[in-house]
Amino acid sequence: TALDYLKHNKQPGGVLSRAFLGVTVPGRTGRQTYIGDCLWSEPNCSRRSQITNQLFFGQLRPWVARQFVAGTGARFVLADCETASRVGHELKSIVHDVRHFGCATVSEVDTRVAPASALAESPPHGAPVRTSRRG
């Protein structure tokens, strides 16, 4: 399955998927995810969820989609059966490996595109949590 592939892939990095899959990614793969349960998808969980859904349902302009994916720091994009055909076209120029698992797809973002951000290299305990300090 796609989750098994992510678990055994030696390349480091987090996963961008829709929230319902993001809930399972850390436990099944040992990787972080950009969005999952809102208890650990902060800050701005609602906005994260909204823009992620827009990406996966093909509602972002291609350049916005690519910029968004690169900005998350995700190394992998996991598209589910409902959205795999919609997201692949927009990201074609920034991925270098695409694997199909039934109707699900895992795309590996080119490392020259994905920034070294918190999601890219942090421990596998969900999305990075940023804290703010009040002066």
mmCIF file of all heavy atoms in Angstrom, residues 35 45 58 74 85 104 113 125:
data_model
loop_
_atom_site.group_PDB
_atom_site.id
_atom_site.type_symbol
_atom_site.label_atom_id
_atom_site.label_comp_id
_atom_site.label_asym_id
_atom_site.label_seq_id
_atom_site.Cartn_x
_atom_site.Cartn_y
_atom_site.Cartn_z
ATOM 1 N N ILE A 35 -1.228 18.099 7.704
ATOM 2 C CA ILE A 35 -2.562 18.270 8.290
ATOM 3 C C ILE A 35 -3.087 16.905 8.724
ATOM 4 O O ILE A 35 -2.859 15.910 8.063
ATOM 5 C CB ILE A 35 -3.547 18.959 7.301
ATOM 6 C CG1 ILE A 35 -4.897 19.275 7.933
ATOM 7 C CG2 ILE A 35 -3.733 18.142 6.051
ATOM 8 C CD1 ILE A 35 -4.879 20.428 8.864
ATOM 9 N N CYS A 45 -5.111 25.408 11.931
ATOM 10 C CA CYS A 45 -5.586 24.141 11.396
ATOM 11 C C CYS A 45 -6.673 24.330 10.345
ATOM 12 O O CYS A 45 -6.650 23.677 9.309
ATOM 13 C CB CYS A 45 -6.099 23.247 12.522
ATOM 14 S SG CYS A 45 -6.667 21.644 11.930
ATOM 15 N N GLY A 58 -8.140 20.233 -6.941
ATOM 16 C CA GLY A 58 -7.831 20.957 -8.169
ATOM 17 C C GLY A 58 -8.384 22.362 -8.234
ATOM 18 O O GLY A 58 -8.648 22.878 -9.313
ATOM 19 N N ALA A 74 6.945 19.448 2.582
ATOM 20 C CA ALA A 74 6.664 18.020 2.427
ATOM 21 C C ALA A 74 7.562 17.410 1.362
ATOM 22 O O ALA A 74 7.784 17.993 0.309
ATOM 23 C CB ALA A 74 5.203 17.803 2.054
ATOM 24 N N SER A 85 -6.204 11.952 -9.483
ATOM 25 C CA SER A 85 -6.141 12.465 -10.859
ATOM 26 C C SER A 85 -6.161 13.986 -10.907
ATOM 27 O O SER A 85 -5.671 14.585 -11.849
ATOM 28 C CB SER A 85 -7.308 11.906 -11.679
ATOM 29 O OG SER A 85 -8.536 12.354 -11.148
ATOM 30 N N ALA A 104 -4.592 5.122 -5.287
ATOM 31 C CA ALA A 104 -3.852 6.142 -4.523
ATOM 32 C C ALA A 104 -2.501 6.387 -5.191
ATOM 33 O O ALA A 104 -1.972 5.531 -5.896
ATOM 34 C CB ALA A 104 -3.648 5.686 -3.085
ATOM 35 N N VAL A 113 13.159 21.619 -4.903
ATOM 36 C CA VAL A 113 11.959 22.432 -4.740
ATOM 37 C C VAL A 113 11.555 22.512 -3.277
ATOM 38 O O VAL A 113 11.232 23.569 -2.766
ATOM 39 C CB VAL A 113 10.788 21.848 -5.567
ATOM 40 C CG1 VAL A 113 9.502 22.584 -5.291
ATOM 41 C CG2 VAL A 113 11.132 21.878 -7.043
ATOM 42 N N HIS A 125 6.026 13.126 14.776
ATOM 43 C CA HIS A 125 4.970 13.279 15.773
ATOM 44 C C HIS A 125 3.909 14.248 15.316
ATOM 45 O O HIS A 125 3.458 15.092 16.079
ATOM 46 C CB HIS A 125 5.558 13.738 17.103
ATOM 47 C CG HIS A 125 6.590 12.813 17.623
ATOM 48 N ND1 HIS A 125 6.319 11.512 17.980
ATOM 49 C CD2 HIS A 125 7.911 12.970 17.796
ATOM 50 C CE1 HIS A 125 7.427 10.935 18.379
ATOM 51 N NE2 HIS A 125 8.398 11.787 18.274
#
